[in-house]
Structure formats: C-alpha cells, structure tokens
Amino acid sequence: GSSAEPQVRLQFYRDPPSGSEQLDTVQNLCLARLRLLKAVEEVGQDMIKGSKEYMERLKMKLGKLDLGASLLTTSGVHVDGLRFREEIRRDVLSHFLLRLAMCRTEDQRRWFITQETDLFRLRFQLEQNADRSRSSRFSAVAAFLSANGIHFDSLSDAERSDLAPELLAATPGIGSDAELATVAFYRAHFTEALDLVRSRRVYLRDGFAYVPETGVVSMATTRFRAHLSHQLAVACRALPYLGEDARLVPLLGAIAKNLSGDEWTAKSGGPAGVVLSGQVDQLAKTSFPPCMQHLHSSLRRDHHLRHFGRLQYGLFLKGIGMPLEEALKFWRGAFAGKVDGDKFAKEYAYGIRYNYGKEGKRADFSPYSCVRIITTNQPGQGDSHGCPFRHCGADLLAQRLQAAGISQDQAQGILTRAKDSQYQLACRDYFRAVHKLSSDHEVSINHPNQYYEESRALLLGNGQQQQSARAPVRVTKVKAAPAATAAGSQAAESDWLDETIDQEMSQVDLSAYEA
Amino acid sequence: PLTMCAELLPEELATYYKRLYPTHLMVQWLSYRSPAYFANREFSMTLHDDIYLRFLSYNYESEFRGALLDRRPEKIDIGAVYSCRPRDRATVSGGAFQAKEKELVIDIDLTDYDGVRLCCSDARVCSKCWLFMRIAVQVLDRALRCDFGFRHLLWVYSGRRGIHCWICDRTARQLSANARTAVIEYLSLVRRPGDKQPQQGQQQPPKCHPSVAAAADAIRRQFDDLVRQQDLFGTKDRTRALLAQLPEDLRSVADTAVASWLADPDAYPSLKRWKTISKFAVSRGRQDVEQQLLIQYAYPRLDVGVSTGVNHLLKAPFCVHPKTGRICVPFDPAAVDSFEPDSVPTLAQLLAELSSASAQQQQQKPHLMAYKSTSLKASIELFAKFVDSLRADEAQAADGAAAAGAALRDASNGGEIL
C-alpha cells in the first residue's frame, strides 16, 4: 500500500528469500556482495572501527561498488516501489547466498560474521543519523527493532534520576546531570550489551546494563551477530542435503576458494615471462617476500635446504615462472658447495621433477599460500621455512627488519602486528615499507607469489595490479572432466577441491557471454 | 604410615576417596537436578605415573564413585557439559559433539603478582602474600554479585598459591565464549606479566566507573596492611617505581618529598611514604590517581584464557595438591580474612585424624560420616550448604518453567483453532 511511512531497508536477514533466479545472476550477486565484504574488511584493518574516518572511508568505498550504493541508502530516501523491492531483494538474496558459500568452515564463518556485522553496524548508524535529522516523527530504527521483536526496556525519568550518580560516572560522553537528563536510557540484560560491558562503558547492576541511546547500536549489533552465528551453524549442518549440488555447490566452493587466495597454480611463464636461474639473486633482493628471502639466503649460506624448505621455496620459484630446466640448474648450482653432480642427480633431482608434475602421480602442485605456510609444517631447529612473522622471535624479526632498511617506526608497527598474530598484515606493512609506499596503498597479502607479482608490477612501472587474488573467480585451468558430482549426496571434502569444478565454472562463465 | 608431602600414594588416595571425599555432594552439584546433565559432563583424570585420561563421563553416582576407587586419580578436572555423553562421542558425527554449557570459572595465581609481591616469588607462598588473595576475593566477589547479579559462587583454594571461583548460576553456565570474554575483560583492570594491557574505560578523569571505584574502596581497606607487610616502598627502586606512576603535575612536587625520604630512609617507613603520596594526590583533587595506584598494586590479575573457553577443563574442588598435600577446599568469601592456607588440612593429616578417631565412630557408616571427625568437616559442610542453595534455586526455576508451560498449554487449549 502507499502509507505515509517509509519502508525500512535495514535487514535482520531472518527469513530466506524465495523464488527463482538465473544461475549467472546468482553468481554475480555472490561476487558483488563478496567484493563488498572484502572492502569492509580492508577499511576495518586500516582504521579504527567506529571512528569518523572509518565511517567516511567505508561509505566512500562501498558507494563505488555494485550493490554498495543501495545498501547505504537509508530508509527515508524515496525511490519508486519497483526499484525499492528490487534493491531489497538483491540485498537479502546476496546475503543468504553468501551464507551458504561461507558456512562450511569455521574460518569462513568467522570472517563472514565479522564483515556482515561491521556492515550492519554501519547501516544502523546511518539510519540513526538519518532519524535524528528527519523532520517527521518516523524512526527507522524503532520500526526496525520492533519489526524484529527486539525490545529493550526504557528507563522512566524517575528511575534515571535514582541512578543518576552511577549513570553519570559510568557512561562516557555525558558531562553533567543536566546533560544526563536529556539522554534516554535503556535497561537490558548484560548479555545483550556485550561490547559495552567488555569495554566498561555502561553501568552494570544485578546483571543488567544501563545503556544510553547511543549504545543501542551496540546492542542491536550484538543480537545481529548472535543470530547470524546461529544461522550459519544451522546452514552448515543442512549443507549436505542441498538438492542443487551439481550447479550451486561448485559455484559456492569456488567463491569460498576465491577468498582464501588458494587459486594460484603453476603457470609456465609467470607474468614477467620466464625466470632464469641466474636472475634469482637479484629478484630475491627486490621482490621476494621475507619468507622466501630467508629461504634463499639460507640456501646461499649453507648450500643446502631441508625438505620443507626445498618444497616451500621450490614451488614458489615454479610459481614465479621458473621452468623445470632452469630449476634443476638453479638447485644444482646452489648445492654445488656441498653436493656433487651425481649425488644431486640421485637424491634431489627427482624431487624437483616431482614438484613440476613430471614424476610420480604427476600432479601439478600449487605453491603454498600464506595461510598454509603459517599453519602447517611448523619449522624446528635448523629449518628456514615457515612465515618469519609467525615463526621468528621478536628479536630476530626486529633484526631482519633493520637489515632490510626499514625505519624504526615502521618496524615497530610491523612487530606489533606480528605480536598480535596478524601475520599477513605484518607482511603487508613490510611490503609497503620496502617498496616505499604510503599506508593508504591498497594491497592485501595472501600468497607469496602474489607478493612477488605485486612487487614486479610496481617496479616495472606497470600500475595495473596483475592477477591479484581479489579478482573475480576465474578459470585457472580446464581439464577433461569426469562425471560431475552426484546430486543430493553428502558433499565430501574433496568435492570442493575437485578439478572438475573448474570445468563446471568455465561453462558458467561462457554462458554469460553467449547470446 | 604417613605420606611425605612429595608423593601421593595410591593407597592413601584410595582411603581418601572411600571415606572422606564428598562424592554424593559433587554429583548433586554437577547434576543441577538433572541426571542427563551429569551424564553429559566431561571429566578428566590424572593417574599415577602421569597418565592422563580425557573425555571421561559417568551415568550415575555409583559409576563415578567406582571410578574414583578404581583409578585413584591424583587430579580430577571438570570440563563442559556436552551435547552427548563424552564417552560416546565417537558414535556421533564430528559436528554433533559440542560443548554446550559450563560454569564460568576464574583462576587467580599468586605468581602473576610477582611484580608487586615482594615477600616471595614463584612457588613460595607465605602468610604475608596471602593478603593479595584476600583482596582479590573481596573485590571479585562484590563485582560478580553486585554488577553481574551472580548468586552461586563457589570459591575454592587451589592447594598452593591460588584460588578458583566457580560461577554456577544458570545464566553463567549458558554464556557463550564471547560473553565469557566480555565478563572477564570488564573485570580486568591490570595486566598479568606478558599479557596485553586491558582496555581503559574511556571515562575521562575525574570520572571513574562505579565498579572501579568500588574495587578501589575494597583495596583501600586492606592497603595499609599490605604496604606494611610487603614493605612496598621501602627501597629506592620501589619508591622510584611509585613516583613513575604519578602524572606529570604531581610528580615534580613529590620529588622534593622523596628526596627527604631517601636522605633519611629509616625515618620514613613504607606506610608513611604511602600516606604522604595518597593524601597529597587527594588534596590536589586527584582522587583518581590514588585509585589508580591502589588498583595497580593490588587489583586481581585474571587469566583470561581459563575463563573464555566453554570446553576448558579446571581442577575440581577437593582434589589433593600433589606438591603440598593440601586439599583444595572451598571457603566462605565473607570470611576470607580469616582463611589461612597454612591451616588447610593435608591428606596426611586427615588420614592421621581418621585412624585416631574412636572405634565407635568407625562402626557407623564409614564414608558418610567419617569426615565429621576430621578437619575436613567445616569445608564439607560449607560445600553442602552451597549445593543445597543451588538446588533450591534450580527447583524454583524448574517450577517456574513448568508453570509457564502449563499456562501455555491452557492458552492454546482455550484459544481458537487456526
């Protein structure tokens, strides 16, 4: 109907949408929302969440993205009914689709919950701001809360003045009794206001938190997060029973893979063309990530590397474009001080050819991503592999940073990131420092080979970001596909990594361009 | 034959579990009036020769008692209540075996005070450093009850140099990991050595969160004693450390006072130095500085990791501490001032008391009454009171739920058929 009151845009995502959609619409929506959430993640890493700069930056970035502008529009802004319904549908549909894509593993769930909650908080705050400056009495926030069954008890004037000294002392941002009298307060069980409790920004008594109206966003966000967390767990358990396996499951799997930077595979001739064994020393100095620099210098120093070091470094070299013949030349030369030609041929050459898929099961091994390096094959005494930000002690790391010519200030920032277990962010800050970039320069390090490519792109004066891991899903290889996964049965772990998925995906991609 | 404190002999543990250990009360506690709740609880046991067994569970009290007598554990840990019996976890698919509920627990260890605890360090504990624990109990007991509304708190001596608090309210047991972290971060004002600095409350001085002010009040009541016992400011270094914590504007004036102290140290004992500084700060309108100092020196250091995980295992009450032989007894927080770790009974002592109890007493039902003739009596009676009050509450809650259910049924019977 055409009531005077605007409809509320903000969503709690309680009820799944129904209807049907084209597969490519599904794909586009998923990717659009994924891009949106990645932007949310990046801004959240660079700025303090909730600060003014954060909000401005986020609004700017999201506004430029597909789907972003409509999500940022507040409820009072008038658009025609058709467009309104379309925008709501895209919001709801993309959210629920991504839920399916991201419910599989704990890491993915956690990531999804964090970004969606941050996005929700931004939208809620925008609605609050719009409410405040609106001339009519309509409150989008109140409408949203009551439509979703969220009720916080409000304090009467008498109750508030009874507690005035405590409320004044406990609530930041209120300077006097007079000011206190102008602020509405709500009483909620402390479990509804965890963020405020955690940082001791509210008065607590007998298990209840006394929250000023500015704290309502925190309480709503807490509910949102709890609800989403629960729903994701439900979705995960329901996943095996999806009737749509053959089309949807591979698509969702590919999207999830996209997030973790797992899509690197070997290509002969990397972006800089073929890399020769003689070029490695120079390239290591300028463009290798610290993990690989360390492996390289250990190799040069000891004329040897242990098994996991050879694996991690060897696959990396393959990924930057070193062909097999050059690799054999390189390793033979590197081992020359310790290992003679015959011994090398007998003990090490096989392993190198195995990595290139020329021996044994002839699989094309991918170079390890950051996550893999950080979490598996923990190095021990005498090992040089691993992630320096994770596996080196603070002193050694500080030393290395200094040796790399990084200033004291920047080094301190990097060390703090590492100490806080934000290893990939530490590497990103390292990248910026050694390439003399400002802290606005956008880059996110998920993979050593990506570090290398970003570095080459910069140094070769080519501003374009080539083959960044943030690109949309792309077909990296197409193989002859055996029978597709059976519909309706339990999706085993291996289905997600099955090469046949790429065959499916390539068909999806092509169909978008047909007709 | 009596044990040396260094070793727990299986035969002695067997006697302890048979005749003194409050098995029935433990089961009543952990059931919370629901046998299924007890059956789904994880226990772990450390046996002789460091054999560690996890994911143990028991369907009935008799099974639990049997396991204690059979295995003679040197340590028993209590874990979470899971979605099914821990011992049956292999029969359900991976995601279906989950920790559902557990008491919220807090662990305070004297070694985390080594920066300010000057009488002892590491494992040593004396009657002087126990004052820190007394203060910790008073501060936290108040905050847990008044701020969070928790009512069923079981405070337990951990046997050597710390205390545990088991918060057993239903709300507490159902808290998510995120909520537990929030509670602990609210309660954290001082960092342990090696941890991150806890969040500051964002209140600008002179505003001070009521909880922080209340904690400072509790500390203040005991602080003079602490200063004296620890000689907290008795050396040049300690005095300098105190000075370094003052804000700029106060420090310069304090410098002159300090100079006279260092010139004639014996005329200015620790307490006098403290009184001078604290009065000075307050007189300058900086009550917040005085509060901050109290908190910095004596506020409890909390181990966040222990409290956060729903599936975290913690040593059960009434275990025997392997190094000291002392029983991990519950104590009354209201009477914490008179709690003396040195007076806590040891296993050796209890066994001696048992054997010297009169023959007549031994003829009565042994494991039910034996404790009454030993020093364990008071602790067990305290525990019994705790369990009774807990069960009374659970009964009420169950009645309330039943009444609500009945009302719902009535409403739906009388309502329209849709």
Side-chain angles (χ1 to χ4, degrees):
Chain A
S2 56
S3 71
E5 282 207 346
Q7 288 225 8
V8 179
R9 284 176 173 263
L10 198 54
Q11 295 296 326
F12 204 73
Y13 308 106
R14 208 185 284 266
D15 302 313
S18 56
S20 58
E21 293 289 345
Q22 295 278 353
L23 194 61
D24 48 302
T25 310
V26 163
Q27 180 189 356
N28 291 335
L29 271 181
C30 281
L31 292 175
R33 199 174 187 100
L34 191 61
R35 243 174 255 129
L36 207 71
L37 294 183
K38 282 200 177 172
V40 171
E41 179 189 32
E42 276 163 25
V43 179
Q45 286 169 350
D46 287 334
M47 315 201 128
I48 305 190
K49 292 190 193 178
S51 70
K52 258 206 20 226
E53 299 81 35
Y54 170 80
M55 280 185 65
E56 290 307 312
R57 182 70 162 281
L58 203 47
K59 270 164 63 181
M60 182 198 72
K61 281 201 79 168
L62 295 185
K64 292 191 198 150
L65 291 173
D66 184 26
L67 197 66
S70 65
L71 288 188
L72 292 182
T73 315
T74 54
S75 302
V77 173
H78 182 73
V79 295
D80 73 71
L82 189 64
R83 181 166 148 205
F84 180 83
R85 279 194 295 281
E86 178 60 28
E87 288 178 352
I88 298 289
R89 183 167 175 77
R90 294 182 76 216
D91 178 9
V92 174
L93 191 53
S94 60
H95 171 92
F96 275 92
L97 286 171
L98 267 196
R99 264 198 209 176
L100 282 182
M102 306 295 290
C103 66
R104 193 121 219 299
T105 75
E106 169 142 4
D107 282 343
Q108 288 168 355
R109 289 196 292 270
R110 210 176 301 136
W111 185 89
F112 183 67
I113 290 171
T114 305
Q115 311 324 324
E116 282 281 346
T117 306
D118 286 346
L119 179 61
F120 175 83
R121 189 186 298 115
L122 174 72
R123 296 176 71 189
F124 195 96
Q125 284 171 322
L126 291 176
E127 295 279 9
Q128 273 185 319
N129 292 345
D131 277 353
R132 258 193 283 271
S133 50
R134 188 176 295 122
S135 51
S136 78
R137 304 233 35 215
F138 169 69
S139 162
V141 168
F144 169 73
L145 290 178
S146 77
N148 285 286
I150 301 175
H151 305 289
F152 304 128
D153 293 337
S154 54
L155 284 191
S156 69
D157 286 344
E159 288 169 317
R160 183 181 52 204
S161 58
D162 274 346
L163 293 173
E166 286 82 6
L167 295 177
L168 193 56
T171 316
I174 300 184
S176 65
D177 279 323
E179 219 185 310
L180 186 71
T182 65
V183 176
F185 270 83
Y186 299 83
R187 200 183 83 128
H189 193 257
F190 81 86
T191 45
E192 302 273 13
L194 289 179
D195 282 340
L196 297 170
V197 169
R198 186 194 311 273
S199 49
R200 226 174 299 115
R201 280 182 288 156
V202 283
Y203 178 55
L204 265 198
R205 190 161 83 164
D206 269 335
F208 285 90
Y210 291 82
V211 182
E213 52 188 296
T214 49
V216 172
V217 61
S218 176
M219 297 201 290
T221 309
T222 302
R223 285 251 189 149
F224 181 86
R225 185 194 284 117
H227 175 253
L228 184 56
S229 176
H230 177 69
Q231 293 297 84
L232 280 182
V234 169
C236 179
R237 283 196 282 279
L239 210 49
Y241 304 104
L242 266 190
E244 288 253 53
D245 275 23
R247 293 183 306 161
L248 202 52
V249 163
L251 182 151
L252 298 176
I255 287 170
K257 247 179 18 178
N258 180 289
L259 179 69
S260 52
D262 264 350
E263 58 182 22
W264 279 93
T265 58
K267 287 175 269 299
S268 66
V274 162
V275 169
L276 303 177
S277 66
Q279 295 174 303
V280 175
D281 284 317
Q282 183 56 26
L283 286 174
K285 260 200 229 113
T286 57
S287 292
F288 280 13
C291 51
M292 302 304 171
Q293 280 179 332
H294 181 58
L295 281 164
H296 183 73
S297 57
S298 302
L299 177 60
R300 285 294 182 227
R301 181 192 63 212
D302 302 329
H303 300 281
H304 192 263
L305 270 186
R306 287 195 186 167
H307 170 72
F308 284 115
R310 296 200 299 275
L311 200 49
Q312 185 176 319
Y313 191 38
L315 288 174
F316 170 77
L317 291 176
K318 183 173 81 156
I320 70 173
M322 180 179 281
L324 177 56
E325 287 316 307
E326 286 298 312
L328 287 168
K329 202 162 138 198
F330 172 76
W331 288 99
R332 199 182 304 122
F335 279 23
K338 277 251 181 79
V339 177
D340 69 31
D342 281 340
K343 185 168 180 207
F344 180 85
K346 232 192 292 194
E347 296 193 3
Y348 297 103
Y350 180 90
I352 296 169
R353 296 222 299 282
Y354 189 90
N355 286 344
Y356 280 78
K358 300 286 189 257
E359 297 280 1
K361 68 177 184 175
R362 294 170 200 269
D364 202 6
F365 293 101
S366 305
Y368 293 170
S369 65
C370 290
V371 169
R372 184 140 181 212
I373 290 172
I374 289 169
T375 58
T376 60
N377 299 334
Q378 305 298 309
Q381 269 285 61
D383 283 326
S384 311
H385 64 277
C387 169
F389 300 106
R390 160 90 172 90
H391 296 120
C392 281
D395 290 337
L396 187 52
L397 194 53
Q399 221 173 292
R400 293 222 193 133
L401 295 179
Q402 202 189 33
I406 295 179
S407 78
Q408 196 54 325
D409 283 335
Q410 286 176 319
Q412 199 45 51
I414 293 171
L415 288 169
T416 308
R417 291 281 198 193
K419 192 143 156 289
D420 289 343
S421 306
Q422 297 175 318
Y423 311 115
Q424 286 168 258
L425 294 184
C427 196
R428 177 197 67 174
D429 291 347
Y430 178 94
F431 180 91
R432 286 182 184 152
V434 299
H435 291 85
K436 312 264 185 292
L437 302 167
S438 80
S439 55
D440 300 330
H441 182 96
E442 285 172 25
V443 64
S444 102
I445 303 297
N446 296 319
H447 200 293
N449 286 84
Q450 178 213 358
Y451 181 113
Y452 173 81
E453 293 208 340
E454 303 267 5
S455 175
R456 296 315 293 156
L458 273 173
L459 295 176
L460 295 174
N462 183 349
Q464 278 175 338
Q465 303 213 316
Q466 299 175 356
Q467 297 183 307
S468 122
R470 280 181 273 135
V473 172
R474 80 179 42 199
V475 179
T476 49
K477 57 188 187 294
V478 176
K479 288 166 82 172
T485 53
S489 56
Q490 307 257 347
E493 180 79 51
S494 57
D495 285 348
W496 296 100
L497 305 173
D498 192 343
E499 260 77 280
T500 59
I501 290 169
D502 291 337
Q503 173 73 335
E504 296 264 0
M505 282 309 304
S506 71
Q507 285 169 352
V508 171
D509 259 345
L510 290 174
S511 70
Y513 296 114
E514 278 163 37
Chain B
L2 303 175
T3 14
M4 306 277 285
C5 286
E7 218 193 302
L8 292 176
L9 297 181
E11 308 84 68
E12 291 167 349
L13 285 173
T15 312
Y16 176 65
Y17 289 122
K18 187 162 174 199
R19 305 190 62 200
L20 294 171
Y21 187 81
T23 314
H24 182 64
L25 284 173
M26 289 291 283
V27 175
Q28 277 197 324
W29 167 34
L30 295 173
S31 301
Y32 294 92
R33 299 192 83 100
S34 157
Y37 205 76
F38 182 75
N40 287 0
R41 172 82 67 166
E42 181 194 357
F43 292 90
S44 78
M45 290 188 180
T46 308
L47 310 184
H48 200 58
D49 283 340
D50 277 334
I51 299 173
Y52 181 66
L53 303 170
R54 244 200 100 170
F55 294 114
L56 304 172
S57 66
Y58 307 101
N59 295 344
Y60 316 107
E61 179 178 332
S62 52
E63 274 185 25
F64 182 53
R65 189 192 309 278
L68 291 174
L69 295 177
D70 213 36
R71 299 198 190 271
R72 295 100 180 265
E74 298 194 350
K75 181 157 95 93
I76 306 167
D77 286 335
I78 298 174
V81 176
Y82 282 80
S83 47
C84 70
R85 296 172 193 164
R87 69 194 197 193
D88 293 340
R89 68 195 182 285
T91 68
V92 298
S93 61
F97 179 64
Q98 285 182 351
K100 287 285 176 204
E101 296 189 10
K102 193 179 72 75
E103 294 74 11
L104 175 61
V105 292
I106 294 181
D107 180 347
I108 317 238
D109 191 321
L110 264 177
T111 51
D112 290 331
Y113 286 77
D114 277 358
V116 291
R117 178 172 72 126
L118 302 165
C119 52
C120 308
S121 64
D122 298 323
R124 260 191 38 81
V125 173
C126 71
S127 57
K128 287 194 285 187
C129 39
W130 197 254
L131 185 51
F132 284 107
M133 288 291 112
R134 290 203 192 95
I135 293 175
V137 172
Q138 283 164 352
V139 165
L140 291 175
D141 196 69
R142 186 216 68 84
L144 291 168
R145 284 181 206 278
C146 301
D147 293 2
F148 288 98
F150 293 132
R151 292 174 39 229
H152 301 284
L153 310 182
L154 183 67
W155 287 95
V156 183
Y157 173 57
S158 74
R160 185 168 54 169
R161 55 173 200 242
I163 49 184
H164 298 158
C165 182
W166 296 77
I167 304 158
C168 304
D169 297 53
R170 181 178 281 215
T171 324
R173 281 179 275 135
Q174 293 176 343
L175 291 176
S176 65
N178 190 30
R180 284 163 209 256
T181 314
V183 171
I184 295 304
E185 290 188 19
Y186 173 92
L187 294 171
S188 292
L189 296 180
V190 181
R191 68 180 184 90
R192 290 158 72 227
D195 277 358
K196 292 198 295 210
Q197 186 66 26
Q199 290 207 31
Q200 302 310 314
Q202 295 182 12
Q203 286 83 6
Q204 299 290 42
K207 286 223 288 194
C208 177
H209 192 281
S211 185
V212 176
D217 287 343
I219 295 172
R220 195 180 297 113
R221 285 195 281 275
Q222 309 257 33
F223 200 65
D224 285 2
D225 283 340
L226 192 67
V227 171
R228 231 179 289 128
Q229 287 179 12
Q230 297 288 331
D231 199 19
L232 218 45
F233 309 114
T235 68
K236 199 158 48 159
D237 284 340
R238 296 174 198 169
T239 304
R240 290 251 164 78
L242 170 62
L243 215 56
Q245 297 189 60
L246 296 176
E248 274 302 332
D249 49 325
L250 297 184
R251 205 180 305 162
S252 40
V253 181
D255 270 336
T256 41
V258 171
S260 51
W261 300 346
L262 298 180
D264 189 2
D266 291 332
Y268 296 95
S270 273
L271 188 56
K272 200 159 178 181
R273 300 184 191 194
W274 166 249
K275 288 250 179 269
T276 308
I277 294 288
S278 56
K279 287 205 175 100
F280 168 58
V282 173
S283 70
R284 287 292 181 103
R286 297 306 297 273
Q287 168 103 59
D288 60 296
V289 172
E290 186 252 9
Q291 283 169 333
Q292 267 310 307
L293 289 172
L294 291 170
I295 287 179
Q296 205 50 44
Y297 279 97
Y299 190 88
R301 280 81 170 133
L302 304 178
D303 185 347
V304 177
V306 168
S307 311
T308 304
V310 180
N311 54 1
H312 187 95
L313 290 151
L314 187 67
K315 181 163 72 171
F318 291 104
C319 285
V320 185
H321 194 288
K323 301 251 172 52
T324 62
R326 297 207 191 270
I327 311 294
C328 302
V329 292
F331 59 87
D332 180 2
V336 72
D337 277 341
S338 46
F339 179 83
E340 289 290 343
D342 285 340
S343 317
V344 172
T346 63
L347 182 57
Q349 178 189 343
L350 292 176
L351 295 177
E353 287 168 354
L354 262 190
S355 55
S356 70
S358 75
Q360 182 192 34
Q361 281 173 326
Q362 287 193 23
Q363 253 146 42
Q364 295 165 357
K365 283 230 187 123
H367 70 264
L368 284 181
M369 302 299 261
Y371 72 84
K372 290 203 177 179
S373 49
T374 68
S375 316
L376 207 54
K377 175 168 183 265
S379 309
I380 293 192
E381 284 172 356
L382 187 81
F383 188 45
K385 248 176 66 181
F386 168 78
V387 174
D388 279 343
S389 138
L390 194 57
R391 286 164 59 82
D393 246 14
E394 279 291 311
Q396 241 183 17
D399 287 345
L408 202 61
R409 276 195 303 279
D410 288 345
S412 61
N413 282 342
E416 288 173 342
I417 299 170
L418 297 166

